[in-house]
Amino acid sequence: MMKKVYKAHILFTKERDCFEVFENGYIAVEDACVVGVASNLKDLDCQNAEVIDFGDKLLIPAMNDMHVHAPQVHNQGVAMDLELLPWLQNYTFPEESKYADVRYAERMYRRFLHTQWLFGTMRSVVFGTVHTDSTRVLMKLYQEAGMGAMVGKVAMNRNCPDTLSEGVEAAVEGMEQLIAEFNGPRNATLSPRECSTVNGQCPPLVRPIITPRFVPSCTPELLKACGQLASKYQLPVQSHLSENTSEIAWVAELEPESESYGDAYNRYGLFGQTPTIMAHCVWTHGSELELMKKNGVMVAHCPTSNFNIASGMAPIRTFLEEGLRVGLGSDISGGHDLNMFRMLVYAIQVSKMQYQQDHSKAFLTLPEIFWIATKSAGSFFGKVGSFEPGYEFDALVIDDGVLHPDEYSLLHRLERFIYLGDDRQIVHRFCRGQEVSEPEMI
């Protein structure tokens, strides 16, 4: 692929505590990967490269949504006055049951992807439903759009409506169908440039992820089967962890031999034996936190869901101090907003609430939360989320002119966009080096 050079005001976070800023800078991209970033074109090896000048616009890494329930898009902003378990029983499960109808699924999933595209979310870790055919539709829509995703056919067979309960054999069969169709090379941590030197192939943009909903909805037999599938196909794992105190007590009753909620997953090979991301972790501490550190389990922090489902506030500063990887999730529809830039704002606000309770835990700064949303989150997909050489070029071009009628620094311009901007300011979206056009709606 011919090398391209993009000129703009370039901002990204190589490290957690500061921005890299290139005013009127240049970024060279070849074979979907960043080759280099520089303040002057002559500092890049770019002879005969096409130069695309975005003028006074901002160029930043694209957003990653690390925990989202695609089939809950219709319930977005509904029943926000309930706690987790009654919210699941009365609203979530009835809505997800509708996805037995593939036509309904396609209509809702197109709406969901279109909204993600609007807000510049180019990679996602996604829950589908138990329905194999509808989950296949979701994965194909991501493929058609050119947006990256790990998509899970949900496994559940207890403490749920009969319409969403699936036997172990049927669940395994459905998951293996999707694995056969969508799973690519086993090493998904390689960038396209690195893959080409190994086996001539890239890891697919869209691939399966093993998805037991959570321990209360899965029998030990189903959890064991999920762990075996993850090991057999070396697939990543996603689920929920320690979101709500009632949920934690329930898990303790269902899995009395486990030392913690996390240990319940660990006993079935679902807690870091392959790359694993756990949503929420609001009440994670002690031995559970130590097990997450030992096993390299990633946290998907969902700040709006923390509040809406009355779960509590996840201790993100503690996780960072302990060396855990953290990303941000919208958690639609426990969360009410698919705009991941808003998640940056909400995460900072949650941390400031915690700071009022404990001044020893500093609240999150803008570079920290931007790094969490981009480079830290992107690490779950491989070399994603930064503009360092070798990273896949996932990027957004922001035309923020309407937001800065007066003179602001580039960092203040980015901050104002994060707090005040919306999809109207995102004028170009790139995923793995390709510009992503607007997905079709029906």
Side-chain angles (χ1 to χ4, degrees), residues 255-267:
E255 293 284 336
E257 296 181 6
S258 299
E259 294 182 5
S260 65
Y261 194 162
D263 186 47
Y265 289 114
N266 189 55
R267 291 172 60 241

Side-chain angles (χ1 to χ4, degrees), residues 7-42:
K7 181 178 183 291
H9 302 308
I10 301 167
L11 303 95
F12 62 101
T13 42
K14 182 178 177 181
E15 305 294 340
R16 193 176 88 191
D17 58 351
C18 64
F19 280 96
E20 304 289 320
V21 180
F22 293 80
E23 184 174 2
N24 293 310
Y26 297 85
I27 182 167
V29 178
E30 186 176 22
D31 296 334
C33 285
V34 175
V35 177
V37 183
S39 297
N40 299 297
L41 184 59
K42 65 182 181 180

Side-chain angles (χ1 to χ4, degrees), residues 68-72 96-110 112-113 124-144 147 149-156 163-164 166 170-183 206-213 235 238:
V68 60
H69 293 263
Q72 295 177 22
E96 291 191 8
S97 296
K98 297 177 183 178
Y99 283 73
D101 181 347
V102 175
R103 291 172 299 178
Y104 181 81
E106 181 178 358
R107 187 166 76 252
M108 291 296 109
Y109 283 151
R110 284 187 180 275
F112 167 76
L113 256 71
S124 304
V125 182
V126 190
F127 274 61
T129 62
V130 300
H131 310 101
T132 302
D133 290 340
S134 290
T135 305
R136 180 183 293 109
V137 166
L138 177 58
M139 299 178 82
K140 287 185 175 180
L141 288 174
Y142 269 115
Q143 284 183 329
E144 292 171 8
M147 295 159 60
M150 294 182 182
V151 180
K153 168 182 153 56
V154 173
M156 53 196 299
T163 52
L164 293 176
E166 189 175 40
V172 169
E173 180 182 353
M175 285 187 275
E176 289 201 309
Q177 286 181 25
L178 297 176
I179 291 167
E181 292 177 49
F182 294 96
N183 196 32
V206 182
R207 64 193 304 250
I209 182 169
I210 301 301
T211 308
R213 187 179 203 107
L235 285 171
Q238 66 173 340

Side-chain angles (χ1 to χ4, degrees), residues 185-241:
R186 291 191 176 190
N187 193 341
T189 65
L190 298 178
S191 71
R193 181 176 295 275
E194 292 169 320
C195 280
S196 66
T197 66
V198 177
N199 55 17
Q201 300 182 65
C202 288
L205 266 177
V206 182
R207 64 193 304 250
I209 182 169
I210 301 301
T211 308
R213 187 179 203 107
F214 66 159
V215 169
S217 68
C218 300
T219 61
E221 294 77 16
L222 184 55
L223 290 169
K224 181 180 179 180
C226 286
Q228 290 172 339
L229 283 173
S231 176
K232 179 179 178 181
Y233 296 102
Q234 285 300 288
L235 285 171
V237 171
Q238 66 173 340
S239 195
H240 302 85
L241 179 68

Side-chain angles (χ1 to χ4, degrees), residues 153-172:
K153 168 182 153 56
V154 173
M156 53 196 299
N157 67 342
R158 68 175 173 182
N159 297 316
C160 63
D162 291 342
T163 52
L164 293 176
S165 182
E166 189 175 40
V168 175
E169 289 187 9
V172 169

Side-chain angles (χ1 to χ4, degrees), residues 7 56 80 109 122 154 156 204 206 228 240 337 339 365 377-378 382 387 391 419 424:
K7 181 178 183 291
D56 191 44
M80 295 288 93
Y109 283 151
M122 293 292 104
V154 173
M156 53 196 299
V206 182
Q228 290 172 339
H240 302 85
D337 197 338
N339 185 343
T365 64
F387 290 154
Y391 274 70
Y419 275 82
R424 292 171 295 179

